Amino acid sequence: MMSFAFLWLAAQTQRGNAQQSAAPAQASSAEATLRATLTNGMKVVIIRNSLAPVVTVETNYLVGGNETPAGFPGMAHAQEHMAFRGCQGMSADQAAAIFALLGGDFDADTQQSITQYFNTVPSADADVALQAQASCLHGIDDSDSEWNQERGAIEQEVARDLSNPTYKFIDRLNGEMFAGTPYAHDPLGTRPSFDKTTGAMLKAFHDKWYTPSNVILIVVGDVDPQATLAEIRKLYADIPSHPLPARPEIHLQPMKSDTFTLESNLPYVLGFIAWRMPGTDSPDWAAVNILADVLASERADLYGMVPAGKALAAEFGLVESYRKASVGYGLVALPAGQDVGPAIDEMRQIVNKYAANGVPADLVDAAKRQEIAQAEFQRNSIPGLADEWSNALAAEGRNSPDEDVEAIRKVTVADVNRVAKEYVLNASTITATLKPVPNGSPVAGKGFGGAEAVTKAPTKPVELPEWAAARLNELQVPHQFLKVSDTTLANGIRLIVRTDPTSPTVTVMGEVKHNSDMQSPKGEDGVADVLDGLYSYGSTLLDRIAFQKALDDIAATEGAGYEFSLRVLKEYFSRGVELLAQNELHPALPEEAFKVTQMQTAQFVAGNLQSPGYRTSRALDSALLPADDPTLRQTTPETVSSLTLDEVKQYHDTTVRPDLTTIVVIGDVTAEEGRAVVEKWFGDWKAEGPKPATDLPPVPENKSSAADVPDAQRVQDDVTLAEQVQINRFSPDYYPLELGNHVLGGGFYATRLYHDLRQEAGLVYTVSVSLDASKTRASYSVNYGCDPPNVSKARALIVRDLNAMRTTDVSDAELHQAKALLLRSIPLEESSEDAIAGGLLGRAEIGLPLDEPIQAAQKYAALTAADVKAAFARHINPDNLVQIVRGPAPQ
């Protein structure tokens, strides 16, 4: 329940690449890595990874926020957006259709000095993905007409981020810490500058920076490296390069200390101290990373503020990692309404004490082991590995990610102590507080009104370019499922093992089927939250510090609870599972820790009940569900404060049961090895008494209603339209509804809602549609963000499109595209070990066949337009939509 992961909008930087002569391709034995420099200077790295029949193509342009013209900080970001509006030989509609038909996994981002376009597709479609990205290097349609339509969407992205208090904090932090340098302004951009931007300006920017000698292309996946390189040469080698403009120089000015407070909409107070640290170019970079890991350790004094009851959360980390500088930050979270000043002072004292007196040598060793182990785990994700290589080469200017690992290996305790004294002790800092402010209670909305439909109906079928048509006009129905071992142990545990020798690692994911709304005894609401907070205190055999040291000794990460996990090197698999079982089955639950956790949980709940985020979700649930639904049970500070330790222990013993547990093991381990280890450490676990009920009851249709939840920190309204649907996950109509959803959304501009709300009208940055179905109930929802005056306009378009799905057959082209999007997304769900394990676990928990994606593929392929229309007519009723708006009152 208490999760304080602080999400930074971190930007990475990288060096510019001068034009180079062609270099011969060089193959590395490690991971079958092939490198080449084309005759036009473009660098190519191809890494074969056979985890799944999937490939990620990631194009890195060495240009970003640093290189934008004065007064136009979002120029690189705007150019990134325009790549979705059409490129040479590929119109905007064709681009949207191609990426949808490839499976819909295409995106881009703009960082401080890098712009990335990344596409994950089935391996057989690699040539189409490469051709699409090559088209944009040839040229982008930067016409005024296209920019005038895209401007609204990018300005909505700005509004979204300006509605986030942590983004506003980071923006101010960068402005002060890096004043006088390009690092001071975020590459996101501003509305006033976008209003002044023209198509001609964008084209000039593209012509300056989008040149092959300024590109690093990373390809990772199940491909033949030599054949892929030959295709890349064919597509890219004839694109001419030109000299690059001079890049802005980074001259860091002396930093001035400052203290400020910002208002927030979070359910707790956040206190920060930020230090300027060296950047990735510095020889001190590796030592600074280890210093940050040491200070963040749960065995270190900063985190010790949490079990001492002095903070709800405490952490240390590195963000904004640029070539010439980065930011080190310490964070403490306190209950809403408390003075965070003393906690900030104590945090400063703790960090300064380590800097003055030195850090513990064993924590340095533990941090190094963990960093080196994490490099192995990076290989277990094809998109993740592509991103790791892109960051190393494009952002950091390395030759390989291995250089970072080798630098970590060489770090000594003396190195860490030296950088702590140099960059932390008595250094200038920026101290900040994010303070929650009252926002008022939800109020009834104005209703839905009758805004006009401002866009044309979905466009005619798109004729694909010849190079894409042959491949994408044919549906690819997957037939082969992963080979897994699926057994039930004597005590009722369902064990699923997937052998994958991609790296010498093992990942364990598990879940105990549980529903606190159904299982918490009357008057004990919040008992599951308190229990969850107590798992971090170790086991009955090892206290908090000893348990964390045992994990550190084997470079493992572990989490216990109703959802539990372990990541461990293969050689320590048994020891890791032993520790996981200790924590899960025999948590320490010490009296003093209970008192602290109970107090912290009650404090968090008090703040959360007043937060706009909670009030929004509560308003939605109250509108959709009957008054006596278990989901509407409410945890309060009073129910938490009245709990006893015996009640928490009883709750653990009655709800954490082997016959409600599924464990998935994936990695470099055989089915026999996996079963032997799990049986050894979990085999003696026994269930007592009858299984508790964990499935929620079905619910009736809801009535239409509207509510506005005030949130003074938002400049953009976040809007949810939702209704209860009278099906469940096992209903036959689930599949035609899901197929129809992929006509409406999921494929960017190629799908109706994106086409109407973003491409044509420019009202939103994102719009999502989802069917959330469980074993007993389902809800249908559409979510979007827009300016307050446009809430009704966007809603009218959504209602129009939903009604059309109920009354008119979707076109053959739309049906084909939706099927292709769904069918090709199935292998993409195997692009990482985490995704594979999560999918297996989710299907097992709800009771679906493990090979349900393959069965679903056959169902999707056989569906007709009439099937989709009939399902929407039966189950989706726009007249029943509930509307919840968070932010300024809609106008």
Side-chain angles (χ1 to χ4, degrees):
M1 184 267 302
M2 290 195 296
S3 175
F4 300 94
F6 190 69
L7 302 179
W8 293 82
L9 306 176
Q12 304 293 332
T13 59
Q14 64 294 312
R15 66 175 178 178
N17 237 12
Q19 184 169 343
Q20 300 181 22
S21 58
Q26 297 180 335
S28 165
S29 59
E31 290 190 298
T33 302
L34 180 66
R35 301 168 183 266
T37 300
L38 306 187
T39 54
N40 54 15
M42 190 176 100
K43 290 184 170 60
V44 180
V45 179
I46 305 168
I47 302 107
R48 187 172 190 278
N49 184 306
S50 56
L51 169 66
V54 165
V55 61
T56 293
V57 177
E58 190 155 336
T59 305
N60 299 272
Y61 292 88
L62 306 187
V63 58
N66 287 351
E67 288 77 22
T68 54
F72 295 89
M75 185 70 74
H77 183 205
Q79 184 61 89
E80 171 225 303
H81 270 240
M82 293 304 291
F84 294 90
R85 285 279 174 178
C87 299
Q88 184 171 311
M90 181 176 68
S91 70
D93 287 342
Q94 288 175 329
I98 288 168
F99 295 131
L101 291 165
L102 285 171
D105 193 349
F106 180 77
D107 209 342
D109 67 65
T110 304
Q111 301 174 15
Q112 202 61 38
S113 57
I114 186 172
T115 303
Q116 298 175 312
Y117 301 86
F118 35 93
N119 197 183
T120 300
V121 301
S123 297
D125 298 327
D127 56 338
V128 179
L130 287 165
Q131 174 74 74
Q133 294 208 30
S135 298
C136 295
L137 182 54
H138 277 283
I140 293 176
D141 184 358
D142 287 321
S143 65
D144 281 331
S145 60
E146 291 291 345
W147 168 242
N148 288 339
Q149 286 190 304
E150 187 62 26
R151 182 188 287 113
I154 198 170
E155 290 185 350
Q156 284 306 306
E157 185 179 1
V158 172
R160 180 200 65 181
D161 288 349
L162 291 177
S163 297
N164 183 335
T166 56
Y167 172 81
K168 289 186 281 190
F169 161 66
I170 295 166
D171 190 50
R172 178 161 174 179
L173 173 70
N174 280 341
E176 294 194 13
M177 186 164 285
F178 303 119
T181 76
Y183 297 164
H185 64 74
D186 188 89
L188 175 70
T190 65
R191 277 189 162 186
S193 67
F194 289 138
D195 287 340
K196 295 185 294 183
T197 299
T198 67
M201 294 167 66
L202 289 166
K203 185 177 187 309
F205 186 84
H206 179 279
D207 291 347
K208 284 182 181 178
W209 296 105
Y210 278 53
T211 188
S213 60
N214 203 36
V215 172
I216 299 176
L217 176 63
I218 306 292
V219 180
V220 177
D222 191 14
V223 296
D224 179 326
Q226 291 290 351
T228 302
L229 178 59
E231 182 68 17
I232 290 169
R233 290 189 192 278
K234 182 175 72 174
L235 295 172
Y236 288 89
D238 65 343
I239 304 175
S241 277
H242 58 71
L244 291 166
R247 297 183 185 273
E249 296 184 3
I250 308 297
H251 298 292
L252 295 170
Q253 306 300 314
M255 182 183 141
K256 297 179 181 179
S257 292
D258 189 21
T259 300
F260 60 84
T261 298
L262 297 176
E263 294 181 345
S264 99
N265 53 13
L266 299 171
Y268 37 77
V269 185
L270 290 177
F272 295 92
I273 305 173
W275 293 261
R276 184 194 285 171
M277 296 289 197
T280 59
D281 277 355
S282 171
D284 291 336
W285 176 241
V288 166
N289 273 270
I290 296 301
L291 172 63
D293 291 344
V294 169
L295 294 176
S297 169
E298 291 192 15
R299 292 196 280 149
D301 293 344
L302 179 56
Y303 180 83
M305 294 176 69
V306 177
K310 297 178 180 180
L312 299 176
E315 63 182 55
F316 196 94
L318 288 175
V319 292
E320 307 300 83
S321 302
Y322 308 135
R323 293 289 293 270
K324 301 301 180 184
S326 64
V327 176
Y329 75 95
L331 172 154
V332 287
L334 266 67
Q338 289 196 11
D339 179 11
V340 76
I344 291 177
D345 291 341
E346 182 168 352
M347 175 167 58
R348 191 185 304 275
Q349 291 169 10
I350 290 170
V351 174
N352 281 337
K353 182 179 177 181
Y354 279 125
N357 301 335
V359 299
D362 65 325
L363 292 187
V364 171
D365 291 339
K368 291 175 62 177
R369 283 194 296 271
Q370 189 64 246
E371 290 281 356
I372 294 167
Q374 287 309 306
E376 296 288 355
F377 280 97
Q378 289 290 343
R379 293 159 58 185
N380 298 338
S381 167
I382 288 173
L385 187 60
D387 192 58
E388 190 74 5
W389 273 84
S390 292
N391 183 63
L393 274 63
E396 296 181 353
R398 314 282 189 223
N399 190 53
S400 150
D402 293 342
E403 292 185 10
D404 282 321
V405 176
E406 289 307 309
I408 290 291
R409 292 183 191 277
K410 296 176 182 178
V411 171
T412 66
V413 176
D415 292 331
V416 178
N417 288 331
R418 175 181 54 78
V419 297
K421 283 185 169 64
E422 182 174 350
Y423 300 108
V424 174
L425 188 62
N426 301 320
S428 297
T429 60
I430 293 175
T431 306
T433 300
L434 269 62
K435 181 179 179 181
V437 295
N439 281 282
S441 301
V443 297
K446 293 181 179 180
F448 311 128
E452 70 278 9
V454 295
T455 73
K456 57 191 177 184
T459 55
K460 61 181 182 296
V462 176
E463 184 176 345
L464 297 179
E466 183 178 345
W467 50 266
R471 180 70 188 167
L472 300 184
N473 283 338
E474 178 184 351
L475 286 178
Q476 303 294 318
V477 182
H479 296 281
Q480 187 172 359
F481 187 64
L482 296 165
K483 293 182 179 179
V484 300
S485 167
D486 182 11
T487 59
T488 300
L489 306 187
N491 59 2
I493 292 176
R494 184 175 183 181
L495 175 64
I496 302 166
V497 181
R498 163 66 176 170
T499 301
D500 173 33
T502 298
S503 72
T505 64
V506 182
T507 295
V508 178
M509 289 188 184
E511 185 172 340
V512 181
K513 193 173 184 182
H514 167 259
N515 188 312
S516 61
D517 295 324
M518 297 286 290
Q519 294 175 266
S520 298
K522 185 177 180 180
E524 295 182 22
D525 296 278
V527 64
D529 297 322
V530 174
L531 174 60
D532 187 61
L534 284 168
Y535 280 109
S536 63
Y537 287 86
S539 70
T540 53
L541 296 179
L542 297 171
D543 66 17
R544 182 180 73 83
I545 296 294
F547 188 84
Q548 186 59 49
K549 183 180 185 305
L551 290 172
D552 288 344
D553 287 344
I554 60 174
T557 57
E558 178 266 359
Y562 294 103
E563 296 179 359
F564 54 90
S565 63
L566 170 73
R567 296 174 188 274
V568 66
L569 297 172
K570 177 184 178 178
E571 61 186 301
Y572 301 119
F573 174 45
S574 183
R575 176 57 172 161
V577 174
E578 178 187 8
L579 292 169
L580 174 64
Q582 282 185 24
N583 198 195
E584 183 72 18
L585 309 186
H586 309 290
L589 306 181
E591 178 72 35
E592 287 305 310
F594 165 72
K595 294 177 181 177
V596 170
T597 303
Q598 181 184 43
M599 176 191 69
Q600 292 170 329
T601 305
Q603 291 170 333
F604 172 79
V605 168
N608 193 44
L609 290 175
Q610 303 303 314
S611 69
Y614 174 81
R615 286 176 166 175
T616 299
S617 63
R618 182 73 179 181
L620 182 61
D621 288 342
S622 298
L624 290 175
L625 301 170
D628 60 351
D629 193 82
T631 303
L632 295 178
R633 292 182 63 172
Q634 192 168 44
T635 300
T636 67
E638 291 74 24
T639 62
V640 173
S641 298
S642 67
L643 293 169
T644 67
L645 180 56
D646 285 342
E647 289 171 337
V648 175
K649 290 180 177 179
Q650 177 68 15
Y651 192 75
H652 172 271
D653 293 344
T654 56
T655 61
V656 181
R657 303 169 53 102
D659 54 353
L660 291 175
T661 298
T662 301
I663 297 176
V664 176
V665 178
I666 185 169
D668 192 9
V669 59
T670 66
E672 294 75 19
E673 290 169 335
R675 177 165 184 159
V677 169
V678 171
E679 281 188 321
K680 180 177 181 179
W681 301 116
F682 282 90
D684 292 338
W685 183 19
K686 304 299 181 186
E688 297 182 4
K691 285 185 182 181
T694 58
D695 294 320
L696 291 164
V699 292
E701 287 186 356
N702 60 276
K703 294 181 179 179
S704 178
S705 64
D708 300 335
V709 181
D711 186 345
Q713 303 311 306
R714 295 190 64 87
V715 297
Q716 181 190 68
D717 278 331
D718 181 75
V719 186
T720 298
L721 307 175
E723 64 177 308
Q724 290 293 339
V725 182
Q726 298 305 295
I727 67 166
N728 60 48
R729 183 58 182 85
F730 297 88
S731 301
D733 276 348
Y734 172 85
Y735 294 98
L737 287 174
E738 191 67 5
L739 182 59
N741 275 356
H742 286 74
V743 172
L744 288 168
F748 202 52
Y749 287 158
T751 46
R752 289 187 182 184
L753 291 178
Y754 261 105
H755 171 270
D756 292 348
L757 275 73
R758 177 170 167 168
Q759 185 180 18
E760 290 291 322
L763 297 176
V764 306
Y765 173 58
T766 59
V767 55
S768 62
V769 57
S770 63
L771 176 62
D772 184 13
S774 69
K775 184 179 285 189
T776 56
R777 55 174 67 178
S779 63
Y780 190 87
S781 63
V782 182
N783 180 266
Y784 61 96
C786 68
D787 290 337
N790 294 328
V791 169
S792 292
K793 293 179 183 178
R795 178 195 164 92
L797 293 171
I798 292 166
V799 169
R800 184 199 70 181
D801 287 350
L802 290 177
N803 277 323
M805 296 293 295
R806 291 161 42 88
T807 58
T808 307
D809 285 346
V810 300
S811 68
D812 290 344
E814 287 178 305
L815 188 67
H816 172 84
Q817 178 179 279
K819 288 181 178 182
L821 205 165
L822 277 165
L823 296 177
R824 276 188 166 85
S825 70
I826 290 172
L828 303 189
E829 293 170 0
E830 302 172 9
S831 64
S832 72
E833 284 191 355
D834 283 354
I836 294 170
L840 292 169
L841 184 60
R843 292 190 288 277
E845 280 295 292
I846 198 174
L848 289 168
L850 293 184
D851 67 347
E852 189 274 341
I854 302 301
Q855 296 182 30
Q858 306 299 323
K859 294 175 182 178
Y860 289 133
L863 287 169
T864 66
D867 295 330
V868 173
K869 181 178 68 174
F872 269 77
R874 280 191 291 268
H875 301 294
I876 306 302
N877 184 358
D879 291 339
N880 287 348
L881 286 173
V882 166
Q883 176 176 295
I884 307 295
V885 179
R886 175 182 173 183
Q891 301 171 17

